[in-house]
Amino acid sequence: MEKMIDIVKAANNVETTAEKEYRKILKKLRDPEYADLKNLFLRMAIDAVFHRHLMEALEKAYHDAVELVKEYGGEGVEQEIALIPGVPTIALPLGFGRIGARIPPDEILEEYFREFPEEVVVPDGGESLANLLKRYLELEGEMKELYEKLSGRAFHPVVRELAREIKRNEEQHEAILRKLERKYGE
């Protein structure tokens, strides 16, 4: 079975080749009568650049995420990790299914957090979990705002949709952190 990371690497290679090919034809289309064709190939070359860099970033993020899983929760993570968010999987109750970018409803989160310890003491930090959660919520709010701005200002459809999806993911993080803050708040 082909691994997802291998598909990402292959896509990166094809995008690199496509970019080179588009650059070649752009150098040749100098005549003003070819301006429309040249603009079309320029757009496709720009798309290839974006796609290539996104695949490079995805590959780097994948490798960094694998290292995190190995370092902090890698029991039994010998099989392929399917391009990462969700690993380790958050198994939500009541047949909620894959979490994806959905924000779990309060009752699902309440049931999920019921199994968490009533009190958490962060060792060697001196900082309470409640203070940490407050800081994490501030960061999530900042990220949400920035991705909202980016999605509103991005002209490239891939960048715009990527920013929207990341914002949805940040909203999910915020909902989970708010529920944790209610559980562990001071």
Side-chain angles (χ1 to χ4, degrees):
M1 175 187 263
E2 190 173 24
K3 292 183 177 182
M4 288 180 72
I5 195 62
D6 293 334
I7 297 169
V8 169
K9 289 176 182 178
N12 185 10
N13 290 336
V14 173
E15 293 292 354
T16 300
T17 301
E19 178 189 346
K20 287 177 185 173
E21 292 299 317
Y22 292 137
R23 285 176 183 268
K24 282 181 192 175
I25 195 154
L26 286 168
K27 288 177 186 175
K28 294 176 182 178
L29 293 175
R30 299 195 186 274
D31 195 320
E33 72 178 290
Y34 299 132
D36 290 339
L37 186 59
K38 185 177 181 179
N39 284 337
L40 177 64
F41 284 125
L42 179 59
R43 167 61 195 265
M44 293 166 71
I46 290 168
D47 286 351
V49 167
F50 271 94
H51 300 164
R52 177 175 55 82
H53 284 289
L54 288 170
M55 291 305 102
E56 289 168 354
L58 192 54
E59 184 178 349
K60 182 177 180 349
Y62 175 81
H63 291 298
D64 289 354
V66 167
E67 289 305 312
L68 275 170
V69 170
K70 286 178 182 174
E71 187 173 351
Y72 297 107
E75 302 91 33
V77 184
E78 303 305 318
Q79 75 281 4
E80 179 198 8
I81 298 170
L83 287 173
I84 285 288
V87 175
T89 299
I90 296 174
L92 293 175
L94 300 177
F96 186 73
R98 286 184 154 178
I99 192 166
R102 295 184 297 164
I103 297 173
D106 271 356
E107 59 272 8
I108 298 284
L109 290 175
E110 282 175 23
E111 187 171 333
Y112 179 59
F113 293 143
R114 203 172 285 141
E115 300 298 317
F116 284 41
E118 286 305 311
E119 192 176 313
V120 175
V121 177
V122 181
D124 301 327
E127 195 166 9
S128 70
L129 181 60
N131 284 340
L132 291 170
L133 290 169
K134 209 171 285 187
R135 189 164 68 236
Y136 299 159
L137 277 163
E138 288 171 9
L139 291 170
E140 291 297 334
E142 231 180 293
M143 288 184 281
K144 249 179 38 183
E145 187 178 309
L146 289 169
Y147 287 118
E148 176 66 28
K149 283 181 187 177
L150 182 58
S151 71
R153 296 186 70 189
F155 289 107
H156 197 284
V158 172
V159 175
R160 186 175 49 247
E161 286 306 310
L162 181 64
R164 284 181 184 155
E165 285 303 312
I166 293 172
K167 180 185 171 251
R168 280 198 265 289
N169 195 232
E170 300 303 349
E171 289 169 344
Q172 179 189 71
H173 295 170
E174 183 181 51
I176 291 169
L177 287 168
R178 286 210 185 286
K179 198 67 178 170
L180 282 172
E181 185 183 45
R182 277 184 244 140
K183 181 174 178 82
Y184 296 116
E186 296 178 323

